[in-house]
Each structure stands twice: as structure tokens, then as C-alpha cells.
Amino acid sequence: MKKRIAAFFDIDGTLYRESLMTEVFKKLIKSEIIENDKWYKEVKPYYVKWDKRIGNYDNYLLKMADIYTEAIIGLHMSQIEFIARQIIRQKGDRVYTYTRDRIKWHKNQGHIIITISGSPIELVREMSIKYGFDDYIGTKYALDDHNIYTGDIIPMWDSVSKKNSIEYFVSKYNIDLGQSYAYGDTSGDFTMLKLLSHPTAINPTKELLLNILDDDELKEKINIIIERKDVVYRLRPEHIEI
């Protein structure tokens, strides 16, 4: 059986221009499921540090994820699914031009397109439907027999989880890693980018760039894309100073 070519996309910061977790967090505050004080006292300090470029973006996202996990305990799955549909309907077009065009290009080539995202799977599913992905996986928040969230999670934002997911999809679709593509932006995407022969880092974080520069094999094959305003810049690792 002939092997197939695939393209693996992260969503947050790679396709979507910010974080879907930020959007769902705002909705839960507006719905009074998360107390407003949680933002000001627990999340905002991490956001301010990142916004001033003295803090880590991943720490900001992980803090929101911790509060989200606790807040949805006892909620029914349909409540989060409803919020997810609202978010993607209202915000789903807020994506990078480069990534949107790459999705179209891969479709035209007949490639399988798959998203592996750390966002809640309910949001990932809606984004996957909107952009026509063939398959998807996101962070799973466990449900009991009545579809009520329990507080247990299976994360998908770290390198190990993303690597395991790629191995699963390779087996499922008979994918040729030697001809396939990957797109990511944070250190959690490092192993995904390293596994594929055609990796692209889109507006990468400092942590991811340091990992790339420290890996001779990845440094040689990776493309680095910076999209600012309406201009896309293509860089080589050796031209970047950190």
C-alpha cells in the first residue's frame, strides 16, 4: 500500500493568531462560570509579564488551563460545546494568512491535513470542521457516564504527547514521515517539527528557537516564518540572534 503525505498543524499561535484557550476563558468569565477575580489575581500577572516580554508565554497559557480545568468540573459537555461553536463562529477567521494558504496548498496537493493542538478538544473539533482538516486531536477533559466533566485531563500541549499522536496518525493513515510537513510555534511543537522532513516554525517563541538552534539536524531543514501586519518574512536559523 502506497504511503501518504500529511501536514500536521498546531492551532494556537500557528493557525489562530492567539490562543483559543484565551477565548474560552473570556467566555467563561462572561458566563460567570469563572470568577472575574481569577483573571485579575491569578492570570493577569502572567499575561502582563508576557506582554512586557519579561515572562514566558507557556506559563500564561498553563495558568489559564489550570483554572479552566477546575472551573468546568460539574458542567455538562453540551455547555462547553455550545461555547466552542460560538467562539469559532465569532473568532475563527482570526488566523495567519500564511498558514491558511498552506492549508489550501496541502489540500490541492491531495495531502492529509491533521491538527494536533493543546486547546480543549471541543474547540479543536470546531476549528477542524471550519478549515476542513481530515483529522484532529486536542486536550481531552474527561467525562463521566453522564457527560459531566470530572477534572481529569489528557493534555496535548507537550512534546511527548504530540510525538505520540503523530505516531498514532502515521499508523492510522500509513503516512510517510520522510515526505510530510509540520507547522508549530512553541517548545511543545519541538518533537513534531523534528520528526517531519519539512518543518516550519511560525512566529516561534524564544524557547522553541533555542531548541532549534541547539539541534543541528532540525536547524538545517527548518523554515522560519514571521508574519507581521500584512507581510510574511522567511528566515534561516543562522540569521537569527537571540
Side-chain angles (χ1 to χ4, degrees):
M1 183 178 177
K2 184 179 179 181
K3 286 185 173 292
R4 304 181 67 183
I5 298 173
F8 296 91
F9 290 84
D10 172 56
I11 289 181
D12 301 305
T14 301
L15 172 57
Y16 190 67
R17 295 208 314 260
E18 220 181 284
S19 164
L20 291 176
M21 178 58 80
T22 301
E23 301 299 342
V24 74
F25 200 87
K26 291 175 182 176
K27 286 285 188 186
L28 291 177
I29 290 175
K30 188 174 182 180
S31 302
E32 298 184 347
I33 294 171
I34 293 178
E35 296 176 6
N36 207 30
D37 281 353
K38 289 284 188 181
W39 165 259
Y40 287 103
K41 293 180 179 179
E42 298 186 38
V43 178
K44 189 176 180 181
Y46 289 92
Y47 172 79
V48 169
K49 285 183 179 179
W50 168 72
D51 193 45
K52 292 180 177 179
R53 300 302 188 260
I54 58 175
N56 187 297
Y57 183 66
D58 287 344
N59 290 341
Y60 159 57
L61 294 182
L62 288 173
K63 188 61 181 177
M64 278 195 297
D66 287 343
I67 296 172
Y68 173 84
T69 302
E70 181 181 350
I72 66 172
I73 295 174
L75 296 183
H76 192 272
M77 176 181 66
S78 61
Q79 292 173 272
I80 298 301
E81 288 180 335
F82 174 75
I83 290 172
R85 287 192 295 270
Q86 278 192 319
I87 290 170
I88 303 309
R89 186 170 63 249
Q90 295 168 2
K91 303 283 189 175
D93 292 323
R94 195 167 180 266
V95 297
Y96 287 113
T97 300
Y98 174 84
T99 315
R100 185 178 59 211
D101 289 347
R102 292 303 290 173
I103 290 172
K104 291 178 182 177
W105 182 82
H106 284 294
K107 286 182 180 180
N108 290 337
Q109 299 303 310
H111 299 164
I112 301 169
I113 57 171
I114 298 169
T115 178
I116 302 177
S117 171
S119 278
I121 195 162
E122 295 83 0
L123 287 157
V124 176
R125 181 185 301 117
E126 294 301 319
M127 202 67 165
S128 177
I129 292 169
K130 180 175 179 63
Y131 286 95
F133 284 96
D134 295 296
D135 214 332
Y136 63 90
I137 192 166
T139 295
K140 296 178 181 178
Y141 292 80
L143 300 161
D144 67 14
D145 293 338
H146 303 287
N147 288 328
I148 302 297
Y149 291 101
T150 66
D152 294 326
I153 69 169
I154 303 174
M156 195 49 63
W157 51 67
D158 61 285
S159 274
V160 173
S161 297
K162 292 200 173 190
K163 177 178 181 291
N164 292 338
S165 293
I166 285 181
E167 291 172 351
Y168 163 75
F169 286 124
V170 165
S171 176
K172 181 177 180 179
Y173 292 106
N174 194 32
I175 292 168
D176 184 353
L177 290 179
Q179 296 189 67
S180 294
Y181 299 73
Y183 302 85
D185 72 308
T186 69
S187 58
D189 299 313
F190 176 72
T191 53
M192 184 170 78
L193 296 170
K194 187 173 172 62
L195 277 171
L196 281 296
S197 291
H198 304 289
T200 298
I202 299 175
N203 295 327
T205 62
K206 181 178 180 180
E207 291 76 20
L208 177 57
L209 280 174
L210 288 172
N211 286 334
I212 291 169
L213 294 174
D214 198 41
D215 188 296
D216 290 338
E217 179 186 355
L218 183 56
K219 185 169 64 175
E220 181 65 28
K221 64 182 180 179
I222 199 163
N223 289 312
I224 296 174
I225 296 294
I226 306 296
E227 183 171 327
R228 288 291 181 267
K229 298 180 180 177
D230 58 351
V231 180
V232 175
Y233 305 88
R234 188 185 302 272
L235 307 176
R236 291 296 308 155
E238 58 268 21
H239 299 149
I240 295 174
E241 294 185 10
I242 299 178

